[in-house]
Each structure stands twice: as structure tokens, then as C-alpha cells.
Amino acid sequence: MNLKIIISIFLIVIIHTVSYSQINDTIDYKITYELEFKELKNSELKQKEKMFLFISKNHSKFISEGKYKIDSLMASENVKQLSFSEFMRNIPKTKFDFFVINVLGSNKILFHQKILKDKFFYEESINHNWTNHKNTKQILGYNCKKATVSYQGRNYTAWYSNDIPVSTGPYKFYGLPGLIFEIYDSKKEYHFLIKGIESLSNEHILNFNPKNYIQVSKKDYEQTKEKLNENPIKMLEQSGISLDFSNELQKKSLIDSHKEKMKNNNPIELKDDGEKQM
């Protein structure tokens, strides 16, 4: 069993139902995007994942389909009736196990992710310095305008539509006078493209309770992620998880293999204050 599988199983097993209360908005729209991305720097292989953007009057929430299904499964009463093997078969795969909430009408976002036993969130204010262009094109029958911006080491081109006057979009992108339909970096290593717009009924709620999370600074969050990437086995053991290795050589080989993969990791955010993010 490789280290990635060990960590994935551990992360899944310790997830528990979260009860939200502070943000409790009725969702008006569900936007579906397809994200095509290049996970590794030393490979030309690209992968695809379906992503959702839920929009309410005051907030938007960006989340991968896999993460959304995991959260829905864990919140269901049916999960208690599943055996471990059934549970594992029902867990969808995702490369993006976080979600982002944008406070509409502001520059404030809340980024949330679970690292081992702890659920973290940090607040971030991003002032995207968009440059508008005269170019236009149609996407899904909507008239879209072009804008460009630089963010965390990448140069992006976005296409947005005033026909849906909600200043938000996928991931941490917002600040244009309309919904972002498409956005991609200059190398197209991360390419978000809208695939569907759906109006939802009143029973769908966008909710979040910060009391269920540990609030940290973005810097502290990144340092925790870096420690996990450097030596995940050590962090697992510090969390009380004992891993069985036949010998120290096997353990070292697993750590070295993981470190090598992390060196080739190609994150969407390349730098923060001049430093590369993991």
C-alpha cells in the first residue's frame, strides 16, 4: 500500500458530520465547471474533475464534486449502516478536498480544508487587479467579455458575462461585474470551463459554522501542509496512528518516494510572498 492511499484512508475515516449555523443561506444557483489540470510538472498528462459553484444572495461556495459527495455521504444517516468496505466503495475520488466560500460584495474568502484530524480555515482578502479587454465570445449562449489578471505566479485569462451579474467564479476568482464562465492560466495547466447553470429550489442551503473549524493564518496553514508533505508518516504517528512497516528501509523508501512526488507537484498557487506553495 503506498503512502497516498494510507493518508487518503486515514483522512476519510476521521471525517465526521459537520453542523453549520453561522452562514445559512438559501442557494439560488448551482454552476457546474469542468476543471482540466496538470498535476505534475514533469508530465504532460492532464486530468479532469467536475467542480460546483453554489451561489446564494450573500455567498458563493466552490467545491469539487468528489468533496461534495463525500460531505453529503458523511452527513447521511445511511453511512452508519455501511461496512468499511462498502464505505470505501462509496467514497468518490478527488484531487481537491477543500472548499472556498466567497463573501459576495467583498474581497473576503474563507478557505477550508481538513489536515489529518484537524479542520482548518483561514480568511483571505484578495484584490484582483483585473484588466478588461474588448474581446468577446459566446459560452453556453451567453455573451462573455475578456479580462486578464495575475495571481500567485500565474497569468490568467477570464471570460465573464454581465447577463449573470454575480461577481464570483471558480476557486478564489471574483471581482468582475459578472459570473466567470471560463478562466485559464497562460500555459492552460489549470482551465476552468462552465458546463451548466441550474436554478435550485429553496430546500438547498449554503451553510458553514466556523466553530467546527480551527481558524489559522494562511501562513500557518501552509506551514502545516508543508510539514505533512515533508514527512506524512511522522505527522500520522504524532496524531496517534501507528503504521506497520516490516523494517525501517521500507519506511524510508516510502517517505523518499513521497518527497520526490511532492517536488514534481504542480499546485494552482505557485507563490506567496515570493515563496512556492505546496
Side-chain angles (χ1 to χ4, degrees):
M1 182 177 292
N2 64 40
L3 187 54
K4 185 175 180 182
I5 294 175
I6 292 172
I7 295 172
S8 298
I9 292 175
F10 179 71
L11 291 175
I12 291 168
V13 169
I14 61 177
I15 294 173
H16 57 82
T17 303
V18 178
S19 174
Y20 301 101
S21 63
Q22 184 158 327
I23 296 176
N24 196 38
D25 293 348
T26 300
I27 297 174
D28 298 314
Y29 296 100
K30 173 186 174 183
I31 312 299
T32 300
Y33 293 92
E34 179 183 83
L35 168 60
E36 184 176 58
F37 63 99
K38 179 182 173 182
E39 183 182 15
L40 300 175
K41 291 183 295 185
N42 64 351
S43 171
E44 293 305 313
L45 179 66
K46 291 185 179 179
Q47 303 177 56
K48 293 182 180 181
E49 271 206 46
K50 187 181 291 185
M51 319 293 284
F52 296 143
L53 181 69
F54 297 100
I55 302 175
S56 69
K57 181 180 179 181
N58 300 307
H59 303 88
S60 66
K61 178 179 180 179
F62 179 74
I63 188 170
S64 70
E65 180 186 42
K67 169 67 173 168
Y68 174 76
K69 287 182 176 180
I70 289 171
D71 289 351
S72 299
L73 176 63
M74 296 310 300
S76 170
E77 287 294 321
N78 295 332
V79 72
K80 299 176 183 178
Q81 303 171 11
L82 298 177
S83 66
F84 180 74
S85 59
E86 290 173 328
F87 177 77
M88 293 303 296
R89 284 198 299 270
N90 280 279
I91 289 294
K93 295 180 180 180
T94 180
K95 300 288 186 180
F96 306 95
D97 59 347
F98 59 80
F99 64 91
V100 181
I101 291 177
N102 176 210
V103 182
L104 300 182
S106 77
N107 292 328
K108 179 179 177 182
I109 67 102
L110 305 175
F111 182 95
H112 316 75
Q113 188 169 28
K114 191 167 189 175
I115 302 176
L116 300 183
K117 289 183 178 180
D118 295 319
K119 294 180 292 181
F120 295 99
F121 86 94
Y122 63 80
E123 294 184 12
E124 184 177 13
S125 293
I126 308 171
N127 294 306
H128 288 303
N129 188 22
W130 294 101
T131 299
N132 288 293
H133 300 264
K134 294 181 179 180
N135 310 62
T136 62
K137 70 175 182 179
Q138 283 204 340
I139 304 175
L140 294 184
Y142 288 84
N143 294 318
C144 295
K145 300 178 182 179
K146 180 182 178 180
T148 53
V149 72
S150 295
Y151 177 64
Q152 297 292 54
R154 296 183 186 273
N155 298 316
Y156 289 92
T157 296
W159 296 91
Y160 68 96
S161 177
N162 299 101
D163 295 337
I164 302 182
V166 182
S167 182
T168 192
Y171 191 54
K172 298 179 181 179
F173 297 106
Y174 55 85
L176 288 166
L179 178 68
I180 296 174
F181 276 55
E182 182 179 17
I183 185 166
Y184 47 87
D185 69 283
S186 56
K187 295 181 179 179
K188 288 197 173 180
E189 293 182 344
Y190 283 84
H191 184 178
F192 300 88
L193 178 62
I194 197 167
K195 291 295 183 178
I197 302 172
E198 181 182 354
S199 297
L200 297 182
S201 54
N202 291 336
E203 68 265 19
H204 295 86
I205 302 297
L206 189 159
N207 43 34
F208 170 66
N209 185 357
K211 292 181 179 179
N212 295 320
Y213 286 74
I214 301 170
Q215 184 171 2
V216 295
S217 67
K218 183 178 181 180
K219 182 177 180 180
D220 287 342
Y221 163 82
E222 293 295 341
Q223 288 177 344
T224 302
K225 288 280 288 184
E226 187 174 350
K227 288 179 181 178
L228 178 64
N229 289 334
E230 287 179 352
N231 196 334
I233 292 177
K234 181 178 179 180
M235 287 197 69
L236 284 167
E237 291 173 341
Q238 289 176 343
S239 299
I241 303 301
S242 179
L243 301 176
D244 185 22
F245 295 98
S246 58
N247 54 58
E248 285 299 314
L249 187 61
Q250 182 192 31
K251 181 177 179 179
K252 183 179 184 302
S253 175
L254 201 58
I255 294 174
D256 290 344
S257 175
H258 180 75
K259 285 184 177 179
E260 190 61 30
K261 184 174 182 179
M262 286 300 100
K263 287 180 183 178
N264 290 320
N265 190 36
N266 184 39
I268 186 169
E269 296 188 27
L270 294 177
K271 64 180 182 179
D272 187 8
D273 296 327
E275 294 186 3
K276 179 180 175 181
Q277 292 190 10
M278 300 301 292

